Amino acid sequence: MDPVTPSSATPGNGSGAPWDAPGPGPETPEDRPARLAVGVVGAGRVGTALGAALSLAGHRVVAATAVSERSRTRVEERLPGAAIAPPPEVVTAADLVLLTVPDDELPELASGLVSAGVPVTGKLVMHTSGRYGAAVLDPLTRAGALPLALHPVMTFTGRPDDVNRLTGISFGVTSPDPLRPVAEALVVEMGGELVWITEERRPLYHAALAGGANHLVTLVVEAMDLLHAAGVAEPGRMLGPLLGAALDNGLRLGINGLTGPVARGDAGTVSDHVAELSRVSPESRRAYVALARLTADRALAAGMLKPEDAERLLEALAD
């Protein structure tokens, strides 16, 4: 494989902007000079979506890592013209490096690039992990790289509409103060909205997102399975309007959007639920009980539930 040639584009061109700004007048991405050469280490769903978004903003993806046939196909489809190369060559070729690998691989990748002597001085190195802030890139920072943690708050499916999903979403961002303008520019160019997250709050931030989004999918699938067991032929069709309204209520009204037997203090109904779930699915019962207790605690604290009703609910929810 031929080595990848670095681009002449460099961050910080002396104009006060991190890269050349587009000229006046209407233009398309093809009309703009490539401002940054972008390398993607980890051509998965997120890396290729962000790479494609940066290409639309006028940057040029020059290289990407891709091991599996699926990842090679993603590069060909989403990042046309990008060379497929090993990580050291991708980093060497780029001005902006996207490290879009699984969370557990990120610390070793950062230290491994430095140990391998890959030149990183002056390069923007950005990871997309929600779990980590900029500190995970410390080995690269000490070697002269410019660290950014830009986490897109969205799920990516690998479908063609992944790039469109970036429009209007939040990015949880952590960076050194001098790089804040660069982080802001990148997020805006990808169509997102920036939210600053401090280094020490990244684990809590990510736990909240994972608990909300990932567990929501589990709850929806669990509800569909139980409805199917109850004889409902199309549980998704039944749940769609209800869950859509519940999500809207929660986002707009907070705990005041809560409805249902726990909010009403209907301990008899809750007791029936627990008994039936014990018979049909002990795993579902455990989840139901844990969430019902949390719901009761919140409803009580919000003044929606009387203490005597909460006591009866907790008795129904006892192990």
Side-chain angles (χ1 to χ4, degrees), residues 180-248:
R180 284 194 167 205
V182 178
E184 290 173 351
L186 288 171
V187 170
V188 168
E189 286 188 329
M190 288 186 285
E193 298 180 1
L194 181 144
V195 179
W196 295 109
I197 308 294
T198 62
E199 186 78 35
E200 64 273 14
R201 293 297 187 185
R202 291 291 288 209
L204 180 60
Y205 153 82
H206 195 229
L209 294 177
N214 303 155
H215 298 166
L216 176 61
V217 173
T218 303
L219 286 172
V220 171
V221 173
E222 184 72 5
M224 290 174 65
D225 287 347
L226 292 173
L227 284 171
H228 190 268
V232 177
E234 298 184 58
R237 184 173 180 177
M238 176 180 284
L239 282 171
L242 173 66
L243 298 186
L247 178 60
D248 181 64

Side-chain angles (χ1 to χ4, degrees), residues 31-277:
D31 296 327
R32 305 173 191 156
R35 288 169 290 160
L36 288 176
V38 179
V40 180
V41 179
R45 300 171 181 178
V46 178
T48 53
L50 297 189
L54 290 168
S55 293
L56 290 172
H59 303 293
R60 183 166 63 95
V61 180
V62 295
T65 64
V67 178
S68 69
E69 189 62 34
R70 179 175 297 180
S71 61
R72 287 175 174 269
T73 300
R74 284 198 193 101
V75 172
E76 292 169 0
E77 293 177 349
R78 292 188 171 187
L79 311 174
I84 295 176
E89 291 185 20
V90 172
V91 175
T92 299
D95 308 309
L96 168 61
V97 181
L98 275 57
L99 303 182
T100 49
V101 299
D103 289 359
D104 289 348
E105 296 178 14
L106 190 55
E108 185 176 352
L109 175 60
S111 59
L113 289 170
V114 174
S115 298
V118 178
V120 296
T121 301
K123 295 179 184 290
L124 294 165
V125 180
M126 169 187 129
H127 76 72
T128 58
S129 167
R131 170 185 175 187
Y132 292 112
V136 71
L137 301 177
D138 278 352
L140 292 163
T141 304
R142 290 191 292 268
L146 309 174
L148 300 169
L150 272 65
H151 174 241
V153 184
M154 178 49 62
T155 60
F156 297 90
T157 63
R159 295 168 59 87
D161 63 353
D162 276 351
V163 177
N164 298 331
R165 287 170 176 253
L166 295 170
T167 302
I169 71 166
S170 296
F171 279 72
V173 178
T174 306
S175 76
D177 287 345
L179 293 179
R180 284 194 167 205
V182 178
E184 290 173 351
L186 288 171
V187 170
V188 168
E189 286 188 329
M190 288 186 285
E193 298 180 1
L194 181 144
V195 179
W196 295 109
I197 308 294
T198 62
E199 186 78 35
E200 64 273 14
R201 293 297 187 185
R202 291 291 288 209
L204 180 60
Y205 153 82
H206 195 229
L209 294 177
N214 303 155
H215 298 166
L216 176 61
V217 173
T218 303
L219 286 172
V220 171
V221 173
E222 184 72 5
M224 290 174 65
D225 287 347
L226 292 173
L227 284 171
H228 190 268
V232 177
E234 298 184 58
R237 184 173 180 177
M238 176 180 284
L239 282 171
L242 173 66
L243 298 186
L247 178 60
D248 181 64
N249 288 343
L251 292 174
R252 288 190 302 108
L253 305 175
I255 194 63
N256 290 322
L258 180 66
T259 62
V262 173
R264 295 191 299 267
D266 193 345
T269 298
V270 170
S271 181
D272 286 347
H273 291 174
V274 172
E276 183 65 6
L277 289 173

